[in-house]
Amino acid sequence: GIQGNVVVGPTCGVESTPPDPSCAPKPYAAALGIFAVGGIKAIKNVTASQSGIFSVALPPGTYEIRNDPQAEVLPDCRSNEPVVVKTNAYTTVTISCDSGIR
């Protein structure tokens, strides 16, 4: 399966140098879909906890994690690359969500 955490950022409108620790990405309770690579219909859905943690059992294969592509809402959450699940193992990922703050 896949387990991991979800974070959202940016959390501040202006980035500073050095970076302000209070503007770091924060855990996010996102509703996500697990898709076959290039797929348009979710194979499974999962919701991360308030602390951004999630886990979902899946058969071996290659998957993408993202919001519902029809939702067109922010934050936009997705895996940065395909996630490979091996037999009898969990793959750990971090899902980044773009808050849209600029």
Side-chain angles (χ1 to χ4, degrees), residues 2-3 9 11 13 22 25 29 41 52 56 64 69 80 82 90 98-100:
I2 301 172
Q3 63 188 10
T11 58
S22 67
K41 184 176 179 186
V56 60
E64 295 175 338
N80 293 326
Y90 273 79
D98 181 355
S99 67

Side-chain angles (χ1 to χ4, degrees), residues 19-39:
D20 181 349
S22 67
C23 293
K26 308 233 181 310
Y28 184 62
L32 302 168
I34 312 296
F35 297 81
V37 174

Side-chain angles (χ1 to χ4, degrees), residues 8-101:
V8 64
T11 58
C12 296
V14 177
E15 293 187 30
S16 61
T17 303
D20 181 349
S22 67
C23 293
K26 308 233 181 310
Y28 184 62
L32 302 168
I34 312 296
F35 297 81
V37 174
I40 57 171
K41 184 176 179 186
I43 296 167
K44 282 197 175 183
N45 293 300
V46 63
T47 300
S49 69
Q50 290 295 332
S51 58
I53 304 298
F54 73 95
S55 180
V56 60
L58 294 162
T62 304
Y63 302 94
E64 295 175 338
I65 304 172
R66 61 183 187 266
N67 308 71
D68 179 342
Q70 306 303 316
E72 297 183 13
V73 296
L74 292 174
D76 178 32
C77 304
R78 60 187 61 246
S79 50
N80 293 326
E81 53 191 49
V83 180
V84 177
V85 174
K86 296 182 180 176
T87 303
N88 298 321
Y90 273 79
T91 301
T92 301
V93 298
T94 297
I95 304 301
S96 298
C97 301
D98 181 355
S99 67
I101 297 174

